[in-house]
C-alpha cells in the first residue's frame, strides 16, 4: 500500500486537522512514514497567520521538486489555511504540485489522494483533472474532524469543537481561511471525549478559533450558562477524564459563568491563554479588539481570583500599523505589570485582504527592536514565576520522551508548564508527582517523588 508523509505548520487546530487526514489514510491501509523521501504521498498542512509560515511551506515544497523529478508518480499536496487563501494560484507557483485542499475539506483528502495516485500510476498524464483543487465551503464540515488514532500510552488529545471566526480583527486572515463560526453539538463532542478516555487518554484540550464563543449562534443559554460553559460541564462529567483544557479564548467571552467554571470545576486545569495583542487602547481599537487595557487588566485580576496560582499566558503583536513608541510602551508596561507565565510575541505580519494591510506600515527594524525588548520582559517574569516552584512537588501528566532528549521524559503541570525528568518509560500516560530541582528558561527539571514501599499510618 502507498506510504504517506504529512508535515504541519501553525497552531493546534492545524495539528488536529492533520491527525484527521492521517487517520483517514491509515484507515485505507496507507502507511505513515517519517521522511518525505520514503513517501508516495507528501502533504503539507499550511498556516496563513503570518507570512513566514507561508514562506516556510512554499520553501519546503519547492525543495521537494527533486523528488518529483526522480519519482513523478509521487503525489504532492498543500492542505489548510494557505491552500484555502491561495487556491489554484499555487499550481503556477509550484509546477509539481498535484493537490490543493482547503480548510473545510480535510475529510475529502483521502479520496483525492487515491484518485491522483491511480491516475499517476496509470501514466494518464494528459488527464485534464490530474491536478485537484477544492477550497469550496461545505455544510457540516465542523463535525468531520472527529476521528483519532490513539497511540499506546497516549496521555493527551485535542478535540475540535468548532470552526471559523466572526470577530474580523483587522490583522487577521482567519475569517477568510476558516470561514464563519460553526459549532458541533455537545453530544457529539462528549461522545468523542468518552471514546478517547476509554482508550487511555487522560487530558483533552477543546479547540476553537475563539473557543469560549462556542455555539453562540446555534445553541441557547440555559440557567444563565453559555453554550461553552454547558459544554465544559458536560465534558467535565466524563468518567475517567483527569484534566480538561481549552484554547484559545477571547477576552469578551469571559463572562461570570465561565469564571465560575474555573473556580468550580476541579478537572479544569489552572491555565488560561488570554490573548492581549496590545496594551494601547488606540491600537486595540485599530485592531478591532473590543476591550480596553483596563478591562483586560481587570479580567486578569478576576481570573486569578478563581484559583490559587492559576497560570496566564498571552499573545502580543508589536509593530502593528500606526504603533507609536508611546503605544509600545503602554504594551510593555502592561506586560510587566501582569507578569505572564509566558507570552508569544509576534512582529506584525502583513496579510493580504485584511484591513490592516492597507495601512502605513512600521519599519521592520523597529518591529524587531520592540520584539526583542518585549521578550526580555516576558523571559524575566517567566523565570521569576518558575523559580518559585523549585523545591515543590508538582503533579505532572507524563506525555512520553522529551523531544530534545529521548533519554528523558517530559510532562506538563496542571498550569501547563513543561517538566523534564529521568524515569521509567512506563510513566508515559500516567500522572506522576515530580519534585522540582531546577528552573531553566520556560522548562522545569526534577525527579519523581518516591512512594514508600511500606504501609503509612496516620
Amino acid at each position: 500500500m502507498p506510504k504517506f508523509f504529512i508535515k504541519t505548520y501553525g497552531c493546534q487546530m492545524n495539528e488536529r486537522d492533520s491527525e484527521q487526514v492521517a487517520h483517514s489514510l491509515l484507515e485505507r491501509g496507507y502507511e505513515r512514514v517519517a521522511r518525505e523521501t520514503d513517501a508516495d504521498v507528501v502533504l503539507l498542512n499550511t498556516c496563513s497567520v503570518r507570512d513566514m509560515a507561508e514562506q516556510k511551506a512554499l520553501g519546503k515544497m519547492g525543495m521537494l521538486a527533486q523528488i518529483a523529478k526522480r519519482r513523478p508518480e509521487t503525489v504532492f499536496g498543500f492542505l489548510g489555511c494557505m491552500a484555502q487563501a491561495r487556491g489554484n494560484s499555487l499550481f503556477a507557483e509550484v509546477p509539481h504540485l498535484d493537490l490543493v485542499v482547503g480548510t473545510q475539506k480535510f475529510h475529502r483528502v483521502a479520496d483525492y489522494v487515491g484518485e491522483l495516485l491511480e491516475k499517476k500510476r496509470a501514466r494518464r498524464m494528459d488527464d485534464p483533472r490530474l491536478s485537484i483543487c477544492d477550497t469550496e465551503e461545505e455544510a457540516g464540515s465542523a463535525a468531520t474532524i472527529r476521528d483519532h488514532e490513539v497511540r499506546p500510552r497516549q496521555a493527551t488529545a485535542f478535540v475540535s469543537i468548532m470552526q471559523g471566526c466572526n470577530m474580523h480583527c483587522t490583522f487577521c486572515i482567519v475569517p477568510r481561511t476558516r470561514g464563519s463560526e460553526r459549532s458541533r453539538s455537545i453530544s457529539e463532542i462528549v461522545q468523542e471525549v468518552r471514546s478517547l478516555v476509554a482508550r487511555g487518554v487522560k487530558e483533552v484540550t477543546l479547540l476553537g478559533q475563539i473557543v469560549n464563543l462556542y455555539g453562540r449562534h446555534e445553541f441557547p443559554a440555559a440557567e444563565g450558562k453559555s453554550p461553552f460553559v454547558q459544554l465544559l460541564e458536560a465534558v467535565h462529567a466524563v468518567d475517567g477524564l483527569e484534566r480538561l483544557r481549552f484554547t484559545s479564548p477571547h477576552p469578551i467571552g469571559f463572562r461570570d459563568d465561565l469564571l465560575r467554571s474555573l473556580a468550580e470545576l476541579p478537572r479544569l486545569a489552572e491555565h488560561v491563554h488570554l490573548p492581549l495583542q496590545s496594551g494601547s487602547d488606540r491600537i486595540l481599537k485599530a485592531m478591532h479588539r473590543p476591550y480596553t487595557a483596563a478591562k483586560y487588566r481587570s479580567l486578569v485580576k478576576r481570573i486569578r481570583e478563581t484559583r490559587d496560582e492559576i497560570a496566564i499566558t498571552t499573545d502580543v503583536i508589536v509593530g502593528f500599523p500606526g504603533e507609536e513608541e508611546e503605544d509600545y510602551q503602554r504594551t510593555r508596561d502592561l506586560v510587566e505589570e501582569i507578569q505572564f507565565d509566558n507570552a508569544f510575541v509576534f512582529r506584525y505580519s502583513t496579510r493580504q485582504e485584511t484591513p490592516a494591510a492597507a495601512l502605513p506600515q512600521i519599519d521592520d527594524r523597529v518591529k524587531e527592536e520592540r520584539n526583542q525588548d518585549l521578550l526580555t520582559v516576558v523571559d524575566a517574569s517567566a523565570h521569576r514565576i518558575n523559580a518559585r516552584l523549585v523545591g515543590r512537588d508538582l503533579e505532572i501528566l507524563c506525555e512520553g520522551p522529551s523531544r530534545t532528549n529521548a533519554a528523558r521524559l517530559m510532562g506538563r503541570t496542571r498550569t501547563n508548564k513543561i517538566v523534564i525528568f529521568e524515569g521509567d518509560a512506563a510513566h508515559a500516560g500516567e500522572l506522576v508527582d515530580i519534585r522540582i530541582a531546577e528552573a531553566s528558561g520556560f522548562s522545569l527539571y526534577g525527579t519523581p517523588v518516591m512512594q514508600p514501599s511500606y504501609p503509612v499510618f496516620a
Side-chain angles (χ1 to χ4, degrees), residues 275-288:
L276 167 64
Q277 306 305 5
S278 176
S280 163
D281 290 349
R282 189 176 72 85
I283 297 301
L284 287 170
K285 184 176 181 179
M287 289 177 167
H288 196 214

Side-chain angles (χ1 to χ4, degrees), residues 95-165:
H96 61 278
L97 186 64
D98 304 298
L99 179 64
V100 174
V101 177
T103 56
Q104 298 189 33
K105 297 300 181 74
F106 291 109
H107 56 294
R108 306 287 184 190
V109 172
D111 290 336
Y112 294 147
V113 164
E115 181 179 337
L116 288 166
L117 279 173
E118 181 184 352
K119 290 178 177 178
K120 284 202 165 194
R121 288 176 172 180
R123 300 292 184 180
R124 298 206 296 271
M125 305 300 287
D126 59 340
D127 192 311
R129 286 204 63 229
L130 189 59
S131 296
I132 297 175
C133 178
D134 188 353
T135 57
E136 298 297 316
E137 294 185 4
E138 182 168 333
S141 63
T144 63
I145 311 299
R146 59 178 181 269
D147 296 316
H148 297 259
E149 285 292 326
V150 177
R151 304 179 305 276
R153 295 187 173 274
Q154 180 174 326
T156 67
F158 295 128
V159 174
S160 179
I161 68 170
M162 62 187 298
Q163 289 182 339
C165 180

Side-chain angles (χ1 to χ4, degrees), residues 277 287 316-321 323 328 331 345-349 362 366-372 374:
Q277 306 305 5
M287 289 177 167
V316 182
I317 296 173
V318 297
F320 184 82
E323 182 186 67
Y328 169 68
T331 298
V345 181
F346 304 103
R347 292 163 292 178
Y348 169 75
S349 177
I362 301 292
V366 175
K367 292 181 188 179
E368 180 61 18
E369 288 174 354
R370 292 174 182 173
N371 182 77
Q372 294 302 320
L374 194 58

Side-chain angles (χ1 to χ4, degrees), residues 14 38 92 209 223 225 265 286 310 315 346 393 425 430 451:
N14 287 17
D38 297 330
Q209 202 64 49
E223 300 178 354
K225 298 174 183 177
L265 300 180
I310 192 167
D315 297 330
F346 304 103
D393 295 348
E430 294 181 350
Q451 299 297 324

Side-chain angles (χ1 to χ4, degrees), residues 333-406:
D333 291 346
L334 186 57
V335 171
E336 178 83 72
E337 174 190 340
I338 288 176
Q339 293 287 292
F340 292 103
D341 290 69
N342 196 359
F344 300 97
V345 181
F346 304 103
R347 292 163 292 178
Y348 169 75
S349 177
T350 304
R351 300 285 73 204
Q352 296 303 315
E353 299 187 34
T354 61
L359 300 175
Q361 303 296 308
I362 301 292
D363 183 84
D364 285 344
R365 178 183 56 81
V366 175
K367 292 181 188 179
E368 180 61 18
E369 288 174 354
R370 292 174 182 173
N371 182 77
Q372 294 302 320
D373 180 58
L374 194 58
L375 284 174
T376 63
V377 177
V378 173
D379 289 349
S381 67
H383 275 79
R384 282 191 291 269
I385 291 168
N386 282 354
R388 299 175 198 150
L389 301 175
V390 173
R392 292 179 54 181
D393 295 348
L394 302 178
E395 177 196 87
I396 69 104
L397 179 57
C398 181
E399 297 180 18
S402 167
R403 294 180 181 179
T404 57
N405 184 350

Side-chain angles (χ1 to χ4, degrees), residues 2-9 22 26 30-44 60 64 67 71:
K3 300 176 181 179
F4 74 95
F5 168 87
I6 184 166
K7 182 176 178 62
T8 307
Y9 298 86
L26 290 166
Y30 288 59
E31 178 186 348
R32 187 168 190 167
V33 294
R35 298 185 303 177
E36 57 268 35
T37 52
D38 297 330
D40 304 294
V41 180
V42 179
L43 303 172
L44 305 185
K60 177 71 171 178
L64 297 175
I67 298 176
R71 302 205 321 262

Side-chain angles (χ1 to χ4, degrees), residues 205-262:
T205 301
L206 305 181
L207 297 179
Q209 202 64 49
I210 299 185
V211 71
N212 54 341
L213 297 184
Y214 161 86
R216 60 176 176 160
H217 301 300
E218 294 98 335
F219 314 122
E223 300 178 354
K225 298 174 183 177
S226 68
F228 182 60
V229 169
Q230 295 173 51
L231 174 63
L232 286 179
E233 292 181 346
V235 173
H236 184 274
V238 172
D239 288 338
L241 180 68
E242 297 284 352
R243 293 182 182 177
L244 174 59
R245 302 184 187 276
F246 59 85
T247 197
S248 285
H250 193 291
I252 68 164
F254 261 91
R255 308 277 171 82
D256 290 346
D257 60 337
L258 182 50
L259 290 165
R260 284 194 299 271
S261 294
L262 287 173

